[in-house]
Amino acid sequence: MTFAAVPFNDLQRGTESIRAELDAVIARVVSSGWFVLGPEHDAFESELAAYVGTAHAINVGNGTDALELGLAALGVIPGSLVLTVANAGAYTSTATRLLGAEPVYVDIDPETHLMSGATLERAIAGCGDVPAAIVVTHLYGALAPMDEILIVAAKHNIPVLEDCAQSLGARANGTMGGAFGHISTTSFYPTKNLGALGDGGAVMTNSAELAERVRRMRQYGWASKYSIESAHGRNSRLDELQAAILRVKLPRLDAANQRRRDIHAVYESAVATSSHTNELRLVNTATERFIAHLAVLETVDRTGARAALDATGIKTDVHYPVPDHQQKWPDFSPRHMPLDVSERAAGRIFSVPMFPELTDGEVARVAEALSAL
Ligand SMILES: *Cc1c(COP(=O)(O)O)cnc(C)c1O
């Protein structure tokens, strides 16, 4: 018996489904003769800010630049400490290192795999100096408990950056992730829930002052044309073409996120009927706090589970196999703090296919395979 593979992701499907509209806006930009920081760019900034519910959105070149500029705007300088988790793919660590600052890792909650108020409090107590910023990553599409995190952050007077690259559209009690912290960031890398046809990113904030700092830094530190008045300037801009493409996709984001949640709910039912011999569980559940960027499972027998799925043609991956503090960073030895939960999770997690254009038949096949684990 042979079966077609269930791909881990297939960007072509989503692109083809809106191909005519994409072609039309691409033609519009090409004809306009305006390719950087033009009307599509400005319109997308307004639309994104309105969607997230912040006063400002500032487009930049990618999600890692967004983190770096967001942290710089908060006052992170060489030698600063930045608190973050070690299980979120090292993007924040990379941005922090680019600023000459030092990431200090906070362990994760064993249920949610996210930072919690308690794990944050422990890390602050353990790190000695006063950190300059906290980066909360809403990993896999699930919002971290911002209420308790903000209480701890306020107690120690540390500003909070939310990384929404995987969570754009997730809400808690009516507020969208990205509108809780002092500043927030996202990425429009093609596989994100809101993805461009290339690189892109944005910074969101309610503070006019923070917004202005990021706006200057993204373009050489200019306060006005050719007048450099801010430190840490560089070139990090979003093209007109990508902005126009994102304007087509943003109005479809909520529906796409809901389709992902519905798929996740099918997986949840399947896992509920599995024998759980290997402590199999899905890390998240389909609520408004979660936009199912990834469908991540945890099991004590990851090798066996992945092999069983692979045998039925279902592709899997691991997000992320190497915690940040165990990367082979040249010239960097992270401060030693216990990260038992992050390390255990890295050895147990795996991700199954999750994208809105999965067919019902493919979803059923994944569900059947999960219930047989
Ligand atoms: C993708 C991602 C980033 C980095 O975005 P790029 O656009 O690839 O630089 C940052 N944080 C998280 C959580 C991400 O998933």
Side-chain angles (χ1 to χ4, degrees), residues 2 10 103 135 149 177 287 305 307 328 355:
T2 58
D10 181 356
V135 176
I149 287 170
T287 66
K328 300 186 195 80
F355 55 101

Side-chain angles (χ1 to χ4, degrees), residues 56-364:
H56 310 275
I58 307 98
N59 295 330
V60 295
N62 58 66
T64 308
D65 281 358
L67 284 165
E68 186 186 344
L69 298 187
L71 287 171
L74 290 179
V76 171
I77 55 172
S80 295
L81 303 184
V82 174
L83 289 162
T84 187
V85 291
N87 70 327
Y91 307 106
T92 294
S93 296
T94 300
T96 301
R97 299 286 297 145
L98 280 165
L99 288 164
E102 183 187 350
V104 177
Y105 297 110
V106 180
D107 210 358
I108 53 171
D109 178 271
E111 278 299 305
T112 63
H113 292 200
L114 301 166
M115 183 188 290
S116 70
T119 67
L120 176 63
E121 187 76 84
R122 269 203 302 280
I124 294 172
C127 87
D129 306 307
V130 180
I134 298 162
V135 176
V136 179
T137 309
H138 299 309
L139 194 66
Y140 307 147
L143 292 188
M146 290 308 296
D147 43 1
E148 54 187 64
I149 287 170
L150 289 171
I151 289 170
V152 175
K155 190 170 110 191
H156 297 276
N157 202 18
I158 310 170
V160 175
L161 183 154
E162 293 175 78
D163 181 351
C164 304
Q166 302 191 2
S167 70
L168 205 64
R171 289 180 178 80
N173 308 319
T175 301
M176 193 166 281
F180 290 97
H182 299 85
I183 200 163
S184 59
T185 63
T186 196
S187 163
F188 305 121
Y189 182 74
T191 60
K192 309 297 186 190
N193 290 33
L194 179 61
L197 302 185
D199 277 314
V203 178
M204 287 82 66
T205 182
N206 281 320
S207 159
E209 194 185 328
L210 294 177
E212 182 57 17
R213 285 185 199 158
V214 174
R215 220 172 266 126
R216 290 180 176 195
M217 282 187 284
R218 79 165 168 203
Q219 180 156 254
Y220 322 120
W222 285 355
S224 59
K225 204 172 182 185
Y226 306 132
S227 178
I228 296 173
E229 297 174 34
S230 291
H232 209 69
R234 85 255 317 280
N235 176 2
S236 183
R237 298 178 299 219
L238 183 76
D239 292 348
E240 281 293 277
L241 275 172
Q242 298 302 344
I245 288 160
L246 288 164
R247 293 186 70 202
V248 172
K249 292 186 151 197
L250 179 59
R252 294 175 161 86
L253 179 60
D254 284 341
N257 285 346
Q258 189 53 46
R259 168 69 181 159
R260 287 171 180 266
R261 277 192 203 101
D262 293 345
I263 294 168
H264 200 273
V266 175
Y267 295 170
E268 287 167 39
S269 307
V271 170
T273 65
S274 98
S275 60
H276 295 98
T277 38
N278 293 310
E279 297 170 44
L280 183 78
R281 73 174 191 105
L282 274 156
V283 172
N284 284 293
T285 51
T287 66
E288 70 157 8
R289 301 180 67 92
F290 176 55
I291 56 160
H293 173 62
L294 291 168
V296 175
L297 293 109
E298 183 173 19
T299 173
V300 294
D301 181 20
R302 173 166 71 194
T303 307
R306 293 187 74 193
L309 293 172
D310 193 57
T312 64
I314 294 163
K315 301 300 173 199
T316 64
D317 205 340
V318 175
H319 300 89
Y320 295 93
V322 183
D324 295 18
H325 65 292
Q326 295 179 335
Q327 294 283 357
K328 300 186 195 80
W329 299 103
D331 310 320
F332 176 51
S333 309
R335 287 183 187 220
H336 192 77
M337 300 250 265
L339 295 166
D340 302 346
V341 183
S342 306
E343 289 171 11
R344 191 180 66 211
R348 291 184 173 184
I349 46 171
F350 69 102
S351 313
V352 295
M354 170 55 76
F355 55 101
E357 299 81 17
L358 279 168
T359 66
D360 290 345
E362 288 170 329
V363 173

Side-chain angles (χ1 to χ4, degrees), residues 44-59:
F44 179 66
E45 284 190 339
S46 304
E47 289 158 12
L48 180 65
Y51 178 76
V52 175
T54 52
H56 310 275
I58 307 98
N59 295 330

